[in-house]
Amino acid sequence: MLAFVVRRLLATVPVLAMVAVFVFLMLRLTPGDPAAVIAGDNAMPDQVEAIRQKLGLDEPIVTQFFIWIGKALQGDFGESFFFKKTVAELIAQRIEPTVALAIVTLLLSVAIAVPLGVIAAYRQDSWVDRTVMAFSVMGFSVPVFVIGYLLIYVFAIQLGVLPVQGYRPIGQGLWPFFERLILPSFTLSVVFVALIARITRASMLEVMNEDYIRTARAKGLPERTVLLRHGLRNAAVPIVTVIGIGLAVLIGGVVVTESVYGIPGLGRLTIDAVLGRDYPTIQAVILLFSFAYVLINLAIDLIYVLLDPRIRY
Amino acid sequence: MSFVRSLGLAAAGAALALGAGFAAAPAAAQQKTLKVVMHSDLKILDPIWTTAYIVRNHGYLVYDTLFAMDEKLELKPQMVERYSVSPDNLTYTFTLRDGLEWHDGTPVTSEDCIASIKRWGARDSMGQKLMTFTKEMKAVDAKTFQLVLNEPYGLVIMSLGKPSSNVPFMMPKRVADGNPMEQLSDTTGSGPFVFKKDEWKPGEKQVWVKNPKYKPRSEPASGMAGGKVAHLDRVEWLWIADHQSAINALLAGEIDMMETPPHDLLKVIEKDKNVKLVNTNPLGNQYTFRFNWTHPPFDKAAIRRAALVAFNQKDFLDAVIGDPKYYRVCKAMFVCDTPNETMAGMDGIYDSRFEDSKRMLKEAGYDGTPVLLMHSTDLHVLTNLAPVAKSLLERGGFNVNMVSMDWQTLVARRTKKELPAQGGWNAFLTSWVAADILNPVMAGFFNSGCDKAMFGWPCDERMEKLRDDYSRETDAAKQKALVAQVQARAMEIGTHANLGQWYQPIAMRTNIEGMLTAPVPVFWNIVKK
């Protein structure tokens, strides 16, 4: 098991190296000039050129790459072109809201979606099943920002019970923290609930036709035990897999949700960096996302072992 | 301990905590904090290093200026108590006001001001021009300094009181003495507010607090000039990138002010009785079409002029701004309602005379070379301009290839001199803040110094001679005559097209009062009731 974990962690190195090369080249091939952005609209050409030289953007791309990768290997991702701050500082400032949003969304989604999926499977073809599936289709179809604006209009503007935007660290109090995460988490969880509920239903339907379920019922076990202990546990592997895949969707959704709700997280940092062509920041954030994704996949593989003793690495 | 006793203790603790909270509440309530969503996030702190307006606006909170423009567009002393000009117009002597202090408590001195002018003069185009006329700057005493010229220059005070980017802000000598090509991180100024660097969260929030040591002038505030009295204890700029979210936050009372609500959402704001729209910049902004002189078809003056004949301002303004309340058809290139307003050279221009345009193209030998028109898609105040330009140019006989891109791509591409097919361009549209284009030296698109000119690179000796004469002229009437000649020449050779003036109202809660009428949003004089 330990050897597996070490092997998987080592495998992240070539993955991250490829991501690094890809991101670096993509950014340099994308039109746009950070020096022109920094100089401002009224800057004369010599002002832009001076900034370009200062940032080292006049160097050949290969030279720029080796300078960047050399520093990155030492854990130095450089300084943002715009802020007089290191990229590490910027990420440290922004990571908490994104992680908080992701965790609350994940917990909310699982807490809603898994019971819905189980109930839909148990009541297959009933109105409950059809309602859950209809909600699922809607969750996939309606864009995140539309849901966001609708929730803001109802709960923040019309009812005035929740704030429109912003973020408060948990250190400033539990209610201020949750108050500002309720609407964004609900917004983001809609697509996630749709995805998990659908897979839970399908997986449960498959499991509920197995012989061991019939045996459990024949033994006279209560239906709740049959469903949760024998059914859900055996259906869990695909559900956990889809939660892992869903985290990639979550990362994409975070970017939009943070914009709609004015949350100063990594998603907003990414958008601002892309619009301003802040290369060091974009590179570091994408590497961080890639690393997180690799770790999530590793964690899912390890959870398989806990859920299904037949799986061994 | 019994459950009941535990509960009692817990209740007592909670009551104490609540009590403490209520006790602290009155102190917090006395703090007047203004929460604003500006047009952009503040990423850079050095207003001399960049021309970005958001950094300029930060500069006005933190720094002070030697001169400032009042509501009537007249330049008034600000940090300067008095100044004199020698009879030969070569020596300007400035005396600073008493009691000026930097945020760190040290006095503002002549040496500080000289170092600040030098740093600004190394970066800003008007500052660079002033420096070419400057023989020396010397401190007479701690509060008096002189600027000595090589030859008379008519724009000394105009330069030092320039209201928009780059503004000649005064900084301590130890800060200003650094390499002007390096971005400053020290925000020590002598302005009415102090930047709270420890609370600066890029992409989220910037904070300024009232400078208790600031000594405002005794005159009432007017435009950028007069007494800068800070009634607010704290100014917070919150960055909400999404316009709709920012408006929602304003309607819900989570913020007090939004600097640039998009015109298509103004109706939503107008319906709410707790929010008002105020136009604090009556000069507004000017839409501009820029020609690239280096490639066909706009390498010929006659073809550029045909485009000017094909355009009309109303179509552009209707397409982007919509509500006539927020725009003005105005052909004056140096902005209507300013001392330099003139209609010289405008006969037959901007009237969409398509048949005349076609005839002019034929006479100029236009061979159908497509105009590569760059269309920016992500800034709401610019997005609809290019399609209108394409339509009008095509109706005027041009062949147009409109290429869509985001603004930052456009900003990078417009610096390229390559052929349009190889990554270059023929034309694009942008907008200027009127305060940046009030005279021929300040307005960058009139610079016709070939490779030294702004992108588009107009090349015209006559225009440069007129601009030079303007800058040397010290007589106001003669300056105005030269402005008319510059404008007429610009229309003759086609440096760029002025596509009309537009106004950006600021949205604010009705309890916010005292916002000054000025080309830049400033935060002194504002009262939050």
Side-chain angles (χ1 to χ4, degrees), chain B residues 394-435:
Chain B
E394 285 176 344
R395 290 168 71 189
F398 285 88
N399 182 11
V400 182
N401 173 22
M402 188 174 80
V403 179
S404 299
M405 60 194 78
D406 73 340
W407 177 248
Q408 302 309 348
T409 301
L410 190 154
V411 164
R413 189 164 176 173
R414 72 184 180 185
T415 63
K416 296 192 185 305
K417 288 188 176 175
E418 286 85 351
L419 284 165
Q422 293 163 3
W425 57 281
N426 290 120
F428 73 94
L429 296 110
T430 187
S431 181
W432 287 87
V433 168

Short mmCIF file of all heavy atoms in Angstrom, two decimals, chain B residues 394-435:
data_model
loop_
_atom_site.label_atom_id
_atom_site.label_comp_id
_atom_site.label_asym_id
_atom_site.label_seq_id
_atom_site.Cartn_x
_atom_site.Cartn_y
_atom_site.Cartn_z
N GLU B 394 -18.18 50.40 -44.86
CA GLU B 394 -18.62 49.64 -46.04
C GLU B 394 -19.61 50.45 -46.87
O GLU B 394 -19.54 50.44 -48.10
CB GLU B 394 -19.24 48.31 -45.60
CG GLU B 394 -18.16 47.32 -45.16
CD GLU B 394 -18.70 46.01 -44.61
OE1 GLU B 394 -19.89 45.94 -44.28
OE2 GLU B 394 -17.89 45.06 -44.49
N ARG B 395 -20.50 51.15 -46.18
CA ARG B 395 -21.45 51.99 -46.93
C ARG B 395 -20.72 53.14 -47.63
O ARG B 395 -21.20 53.67 -48.63
CB ARG B 395 -22.53 52.53 -46.00
CG ARG B 395 -23.47 51.40 -45.53
CD ARG B 395 -24.35 51.84 -44.40
NE ARG B 395 -25.38 52.78 -44.81
CZ ARG B 395 -26.17 53.43 -43.96
NH1 ARG B 395 -26.03 53.23 -42.65
NH2 ARG B 395 -27.09 54.26 -44.40
N GLY B 396 -19.58 53.50 -47.09
CA GLY B 396 -18.78 54.56 -47.71
C GLY B 396 -17.81 54.05 -48.76
O GLY B 396 -16.97 54.81 -49.26
N GLY B 397 -17.88 52.77 -49.08
CA GLY B 397 -17.07 52.24 -50.18
C GLY B 397 -15.85 51.44 -49.77
O GLY B 397 -15.09 50.97 -50.63
N PHE B 398 -15.65 51.25 -48.46
CA PHE B 398 -14.47 50.49 -48.01
C PHE B 398 -14.79 49.00 -47.98
O PHE B 398 -15.94 48.58 -47.82
CB PHE B 398 -14.08 50.92 -46.59
CG PHE B 398 -13.38 52.25 -46.52
CD1 PHE B 398 -14.11 53.43 -46.39
CD2 PHE B 398 -12.00 52.32 -46.56
CE1 PHE B 398 -13.47 54.66 -46.31
CE2 PHE B 398 -11.35 53.55 -46.47
CZ PHE B 398 -12.09 54.72 -46.35
N ASN B 399 -13.73 48.22 -48.07
CA ASN B 399 -13.82 46.78 -47.85
C ASN B 399 -13.24 46.54 -46.46
O ASN B 399 -12.11 46.94 -46.18
CB ASN B 399 -12.99 46.08 -48.94
CG ASN B 399 -13.08 44.59 -48.84
OD1 ASN B 399 -13.90 44.05 -48.10
ND2 ASN B 399 -12.22 43.92 -49.59
N VAL B 400 -14.04 45.95 -45.56
CA VAL B 400 -13.60 45.85 -44.15
C VAL B 400 -13.54 44.40 -43.68
O VAL B 400 -14.47 43.63 -43.91
CB VAL B 400 -14.56 46.65 -43.22
CG1 VAL B 400 -14.08 46.59 -41.76
CG2 VAL B 400 -14.67 48.10 -43.67
N ASN B 401 -12.44 44.07 -43.04
CA ASN B 401 -12.30 42.76 -42.41
C ASN B 401 -12.24 43.00 -40.89
O ASN B 401 -11.21 43.42 -40.38
CB ASN B 401 -11.02 42.08 -42.92
CG ASN B 401 -10.73 40.79 -42.19
OD1 ASN B 401 -11.63 40.18 -41.61
ND2 ASN B 401 -9.47 40.38 -42.20
N MET B 402 -13.35 42.76 -40.20
CA MET B 402 -13.37 43.00 -38.75
C MET B 402 -12.92 41.74 -38.02
O MET B 402 -13.46 40.66 -38.23
CB MET B 402 -14.78 43.39 -38.30
CG MET B 402 -14.86 43.85 -36.86
SD MET B 402 -16.50 44.47 -36.44
CE MET B 402 -17.36 42.95 -36.18
N VAL B 403 -11.91 41.90 -37.18
CA VAL B 403 -11.37 40.75 -36.43
C VAL B 403 -11.66 40.96 -34.95
O VAL B 403 -11.26 41.98 -34.38
CB VAL B 403 -9.85 40.62 -36.66
CG1 VAL B 403 -9.28 39.44 -35.88
CG2 VAL B 403 -9.56 40.46 -38.15
N SER B 404 -12.36 40.00 -34.34
CA SER B 404 -12.75 40.14 -32.93
C SER B 404 -11.68 39.56 -32.00
O SER B 404 -11.06 38.54 -32.32
CB SER B 404 -14.08 39.42 -32.69
OG SER B 404 -15.08 40.01 -33.48
N MET B 405 -11.50 40.20 -30.86
CA MET B 405 -10.48 39.74 -29.89
C MET B 405 -10.78 40.41 -28.54
O MET B 405 -11.55 41.37 -28.48
CB MET B 405 -9.09 40.12 -30.37
CG MET B 405 -8.86 41.61 -30.54
SD MET B 405 -7.37 42.01 -31.48
CE MET B 405 -7.91 41.71 -33.16
N ASP B 406 -10.16 39.90 -27.48
CA ASP B 406 -10.35 40.59 -26.20
C ASP B 406 -9.46 41.83 -26.15
O ASP B 406 -8.54 41.99 -26.96
CB ASP B 406 -10.12 39.65 -25.00
CG ASP B 406 -8.66 39.30 -24.78
OD1 ASP B 406 -7.87 39.44 -25.72
OD2 ASP B 406 -8.31 38.89 -23.67
N TRP B 407 -9.77 42.74 -25.25
CA TRP B 407 -9.10 44.04 -25.21
C TRP B 407 -7.59 43.90 -25.02
O TRP B 407 -6.81 44.62 -25.62
CB TRP B 407 -9.72 44.91 -24.12
CG TRP B 407 -9.05 46.25 -23.97
CD1 TRP B 407 -8.32 46.68 -22.93
CD2 TRP B 407 -9.02 47.32 -24.93
NE1 TRP B 407 -7.85 47.95 -23.16
CE2 TRP B 407 -8.26 48.37 -24.38
CE3 TRP B 407 -9.57 47.48 -26.21
CZ2 TRP B 407 -8.04 49.56 -25.06
CZ3 TRP B 407 -9.34 48.68 -26.88
CH2 TRP B 407 -8.58 49.70 -26.31
N GLN B 408 -7.19 42.96 -24.17
CA GLN B 408 -5.75 42.82 -23.91
C GLN B 408 -5.01 42.34 -25.15
O GLN B 408 -3.86 42.72 -25.40
CB GLN B 408 -5.50 41.87 -22.73
CG GLN B 408 -6.17 42.26 -21.43
CD GLN B 408 -5.91 43.69 -21.00
OE1 GLN B 408 -5.06 44.36 -21.57
NE2 GLN B 408 -6.66 44.17 -20.04
N THR B 409 -5.66 41.51 -25.95
CA THR B 409 -5.04 41.09 -27.21
C THR B 409 -4.92 42.30 -28.14
O THR B 409 -3.90 42.49 -28.80
CB THR B 409 -5.90 39.99 -27.87
OG1 THR B 409 -5.99 38.89 -26.96
CG2 THR B 409 -5.28 39.51 -29.17
N LEU B 410 -5.98 43.11 -28.16
CA LEU B 410 -5.96 44.31 -29.00
C LEU B 410 -4.83 45.26 -28.56
O LEU B 410 -4.09 45.79 -29.39
CB LEU B 410 -7.31 45.00 -28.93
CG LEU B 410 -7.58 46.13 -29.91
CD1 LEU B 410 -9.08 46.27 -30.16
CD2 LEU B 410 -7.04 47.47 -29.45
N VAL B 411 -4.71 45.42 -27.24
CA VAL B 411 -3.68 46.33 -26.70
C VAL B 411 -2.29 45.87 -27.13
O VAL B 411 -1.41 46.68 -27.44
CB VAL B 411 -3.81 46.38 -25.15
CG1 VAL B 411 -2.57 46.96 -24.50
CG2 VAL B 411 -5.02 47.20 -24.76
N ALA B 412 -2.09 44.56 -27.16
CA ALA B 412 -0.79 44.04 -27.58
C ALA B 412 -0.61 44.18 -29.09
O ALA B 412 0.45 44.58 -29.57
CB ALA B 412 -0.67 42.58 -27.16
N ARG B 413 -1.67 43.88 -29.83
CA ARG B 413 -1.56 43.89 -31.29
C ARG B 413 -1.38 45.30 -31.85
O ARG B 413 -0.73 45.49 -32.87
CB ARG B 413 -2.81 43.22 -31.89
CG ARG B 413 -2.70 42.99 -33.38
CD ARG B 413 -3.76 42.00 -33.87
NE ARG B 413 -3.70 41.87 -35.32
CZ ARG B 413 -4.40 40.99 -36.01
NH1 ARG B 413 -5.21 40.16 -35.40
NH2 ARG B 413 -4.30 40.94 -37.33
N ARG B 414 -1.95 46.28 -31.19
CA ARG B 414 -1.88 47.64 -31.72
C ARG B 414 -0.45 48.20 -31.67
O ARG B 414 -0.15 49.21 -32.29
CB ARG B 414 -2.84 48.58 -31.00
CG ARG B 414 -2.43 48.94 -29.60
CD ARG B 414 -3.47 49.78 -28.90
NE ARG B 414 -3.05 50.11 -27.55
CZ ARG B 414 -3.79 50.75 -26.66
NH1 ARG B 414 -5.00 51.15 -26.99
NH2 ARG B 414 -3.34 51.01 -25.46
N THR B 415 0.43 47.56 -30.91
CA THR B 415 1.83 48.02 -30.86
C THR B 415 2.64 47.43 -32.02
O THR B 415 3.78 47.81 -32.22
CB THR B 415 2.50 47.60 -29.54
OG1 THR B 415 2.56 46.17 -29.47
CG2 THR B 415 1.78 48.14 -28.33
N LYS B 416 2.05 46.50 -32.77
CA LYS B 416 2.80 45.81 -33.82
C LYS B 416 2.71 46.57 -35.15
O LYS B 416 1.63 46.98 -35.57
CB LYS B 416 2.26 44.39 -33.99
CG LYS B 416 2.47 43.53 -32.75
CD LYS B 416 2.21 42.07 -33.03
CE LYS B 416 2.31 41.26 -31.76
NZ LYS B 416 3.57 41.42 -31.04
N LYS B 417 3.88 46.69 -35.78
CA LYS B 417 3.93 47.43 -37.04
C LYS B 417 3.88 46.52 -38.26
O LYS B 417 3.98 46.99 -39.39
CB LYS B 417 5.20 48.28 -37.08
CG LYS B 417 5.16 49.47 -36.14
CD LYS B 417 6.36 50.35 -36.38
CE LYS B 417 6.28 51.58 -35.51
NZ LYS B 417 7.49 52.41 -35.63
N GLU B 418 3.78 45.21 -38.04
CA GLU B 418 3.74 44.28 -39.15
C GLU B 418 2.54 44.55 -40.05
O GLU B 418 1.59 45.23 -39.65
CB GLU B 418 3.66 42.83 -38.64
CG GLU B 418 4.95 42.28 -38.07
CD GLU B 418 5.15 42.63 -36.60
OE1 GLU B 418 4.36 43.45 -36.07
OE2 GLU B 418 6.09 42.11 -35.98
N LEU B 419 2.57 43.94 -41.25
CA LEU B 419 1.42 44.06 -42.15
C LEU B 419 0.20 43.43 -41.48
O LEU B 419 0.35 42.50 -40.69
CB LEU B 419 1.71 43.31 -43.46
CG LEU B 419 2.66 44.02 -44.42
CD1 LEU B 419 3.15 43.03 -45.47
CD2 LEU B 419 1.96 45.20 -45.09
N PRO B 420 -1.00 43.90 -41.81
CA PRO B 420 -2.19 43.33 -41.18
C PRO B 420 -2.28 41.81 -41.31
O PRO B 420 -2.68 41.13 -40.36
CB PRO B 420 -3.35 44.03 -41.92
CG PRO B 420 -2.76 45.34 -42.34
CD PRO B 420 -1.33 45.07 -42.66
N ALA B 421 -1.88 41.29 -42.45
CA ALA B 421 -1.96 39.84 -42.64
C ALA B 421 -0.93 39.10 -41.79
O ALA B 421 -1.02 37.88 -41.62
CB ALA B 421 -1.74 39.52 -44.12
N GLN B 422 0.05 39.82 -41.30
CA GLN B 422 1.10 39.17 -40.50
C GLN B 422 1.01 39.57 -39.03
O GLN B 422 2.03 39.62 -38.33
CB GLN B 422 2.48 39.54 -41.07
CG GLN B 422 2.71 38.96 -42.45
CD GLN B 422 3.85 39.62 -43.19
OE1 GLN B 422 4.53 40.51 -42.66
NE2 GLN B 422 4.06 39.22 -44.42
N GLY B 423 -0.17 39.88 -38.57
CA GLY B 423 -0.34 40.19 -37.16
C GLY B 423 -0.45 41.67 -36.86
O GLY B 423 -0.55 42.06 -35.69
N GLY B 424 -0.43 42.50 -37.90
CA GLY B 424 -0.58 43.95 -37.70
C GLY B 424 -2.05 44.35 -37.77
O GLY B 424 -2.94 43.53 -37.55
N TRP B 425 -2.31 45.58 -38.13
CA TRP B 425 -3.68 46.08 -38.12
C TRP B 425 -3.81 47.35 -38.96
O TRP B 425 -2.78 47.96 -39.32
CB TRP B 425 -4.10 46.37 -36.67
CG TRP B 425 -3.19 47.36 -35.97
CD1 TRP B 425 -1.97 47.06 -35.43
CD2 TRP B 425 -3.39 48.76 -35.78
NE1 TRP B 425 -1.40 48.20 -34.90
CE2 TRP B 425 -2.25 49.26 -35.09
CE3 TRP B 425 -4.40 49.66 -36.10
CZ2 TRP B 425 -2.10 50.60 -34.74
CZ3 TRP B 425 -4.27 51.00 -35.74
CH2 TRP B 425 -3.13 51.46 -35.07
N ASN B 426 -5.04 47.76 -39.23
CA ASN B 426 -5.29 49.02 -39.94
C ASN B 426 -6.03 50.05 -39.07
O ASN B 426 -5.85 51.25 -39.25
CB ASN B 426 -6.13 48.80 -41.20
CG ASN B 426 -5.36 48.09 -42.29
OD1 ASN B 426 -5.76 47.02 -42.72
ND2 ASN B 426 -4.26 48.66 -42.72
N ALA B 427 -6.89 49.55 -38.18
CA ALA B 427 -7.69 50.50 -37.39
C ALA B 427 -8.24 49.83 -36.15
O ALA B 427 -8.40 48.60 -36.11
CB ALA B 427 -8.84 51.05 -38.23
N PHE B 428 -8.50 50.63 -35.12
CA PHE B 428 -9.22 50.14 -33.94
C PHE B 428 -9.93 51.32 -33.29
O PHE B 428 -9.69 52.48 -33.65
CB PHE B 428 -8.27 49.45 -32.94
CG PHE B 428 -7.38 50.38 -32.17
CD1 PHE B 428 -7.76 50.86 -30.91
CD2 PHE B 428 -6.18 50.79 -32.68
CE1 PHE B 428 -6.95 51.71 -30.19
CE2 PHE B 428 -5.35 51.66 -31.97
CZ PHE B 428 -5.74 52.12 -30.73
N LEU B 429 -10.80 51.01 -32.34
CA LEU B 429 -11.53 52.07 -31.65
C LEU B 429 -11.27 52.02 -30.16
O LEU B 429 -11.10 50.94 -29.58
CB LEU B 429 -13.03 51.91 -31.90
CG LEU B 429 -13.41 52.09 -33.37
CD1 LEU B 429 -13.84 50.77 -33.98
CD2 LEU B 429 -14.50 53.12 -33.54
N THR B 430 -11.22 53.18 -29.55
CA THR B 430 -11.00 53.23 -28.11
C THR B 430 -11.74 54.45 -27.54
O THR B 430 -12.49 55.11 -28.24
CB THR B 430 -9.49 53.28 -27.79
OG1 THR B 430 -9.29 53.16 -26.38
CG2 THR B 430 -8.84 54.57 -28.26
N SER B 431 -11.50 54.71 -26.27
CA SER B 431 -12.14 55.86 -25.63
C SER B 431 -11.12 56.59 -24.77
O SER B 431 -10.27 55.95 -24.15
CB SER B 431 -13.30 55.36 -24.75
OG SER B 431 -13.93 56.45 -24.15
N TRP B 432 -11.21 57.89 -24.78
CA TRP B 432 -10.32 58.72 -23.95
C TRP B 432 -11.13 59.42 -22.87
O TRP B 432 -12.25 59.87 -23.14
CB TRP B 432 -9.64 59.80 -24.79
CG TRP B 432 -8.57 59.29 -25.70
CD1 TRP B 432 -8.75 58.82 -26.97
CD2 TRP B 432 -7.17 59.23 -25.44
NE1 TRP B 432 -7.54 58.46 -27.50
CE2 TRP B 432 -6.55 58.71 -26.59
CE3 TRP B 432 -6.37 59.56 -24.35
CZ2 TRP B 432 -5.17 58.50 -26.68
CZ3 TRP B 432 -5.00 59.36 -24.43
CH2 TRP B 432 -4.41 58.84 -25.58
N VAL B 433 -10.57 59.53 -21.70
CA VAL B 433 -11.16 60.41 -20.69
C VAL B 433 -10.89 61.84 -21.15
O VAL B 433 -9.75 62.17 -21.52
CB VAL B 433 -10.53 60.15 -19.31
CG1 VAL B 433 -10.92 61.23 -18.32
CG2 VAL B 433 -10.97 58.80 -18.79
N ALA B 434 -11.91 62.69 -21.17
CA ALA B 434 -11.76 64.03 -21.73
C ALA B 434 -10.61 64.80 -21.08
O ALA B 434 -9.92 65.57 -21.75
CB ALA B 434 -13.08 64.80 -21.57
N ALA B 435 -10.39 64.57 -19.80
CA ALA B 435 -9.33 65.29 -19.09
C ALA B 435 -7.95 65.00 -19.66
O ALA B 435 -7.00 65.73 -19.39
CB ALA B 435 -9.36 64.93 -17.61
#
